[in-house]
């Protein structure tokens, strides 16, 4: 049930957000540069939608009622998503995108 609520919240945030282009670019590059090829077409689409929604939630500060350790974990994840999306907005290759991912890991 919590996953359903979170999914609805993420989708509603995705509908109108000034960071939508930035988050879509981040999700696009994430999928383009994915190396292991473990995801099929539908799975890639679902993951791309989820990554975009999580990114938008990060910029909006949407925590779906999370508290305590769960909220702290989400805050850390959101900071990384915002850094990665801001960097990925202007990349032109997977090599450049990898540098964004490396920046987030620091």
């Amino acid at each position: 049930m919590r996953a359903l609520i979170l999914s609805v919240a993420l989708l509603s945030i995705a509908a109108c957000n000034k960071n939508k282009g930035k988050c879509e670019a981040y999700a696009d590059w994430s999928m383009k540069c994915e190396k292991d090829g473990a995801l099929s077409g539908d799975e890639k689409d679902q993951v791309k939608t989820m990554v975009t929604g999580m990114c938008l939630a990060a910029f909006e500060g949407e925590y779906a009622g999370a508290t305590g350790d769960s909220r702290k974990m989400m805050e850390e994840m959101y900071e990384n998503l915002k850094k990665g999306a801001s960097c990925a907005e202007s990349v032109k290759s997977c090599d450049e995108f990898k540098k964004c991912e490396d920046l987030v890991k620091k």
Side-chain angles (χ1 to χ4, degrees), residues 20-30 52 85 88-91 97:
K20 187 174 182 182
K22 184 182 299 190
C23 290
E24 287 175 345
Y26 178 73
D28 284 342
W29 282 109
S30 293
T52 302
E89 186 175 30
S90 61
V91 302
F97 181 73

Side-chain angles (χ1 to χ4, degrees), residues 21-39 43-55 80-89 91-102 104-105:
K22 184 182 299 190
C23 290
E24 287 175 345
Y26 178 73
D28 284 342
W29 282 109
S30 293
M31 295 299 100
K32 286 179 192 173
C33 303
E34 185 238 342
K35 296 207 184 303
D36 67 12
L39 299 175
E43 291 170 326
K44 269 190 169 182
D45 290 343
Q46 291 170 356
V47 170
K48 183 178 172 183
T49 299
M50 184 183 71
V51 169
T52 302
M54 288 174 60
C55 177
N80 289 339
L81 277 168
K82 290 190 289 189
K83 287 178 189 175
S86 295
C87 179
E89 186 175 30
V91 302
K92 304 284 188 242
S93 69
C94 286
D95 288 337
E96 289 179 16
F97 181 73
K98 183 177 179 338
K99 290 178 185 175
C100 292
E101 289 185 319
D102 291 344
V104 169
K105 292 176 186 174

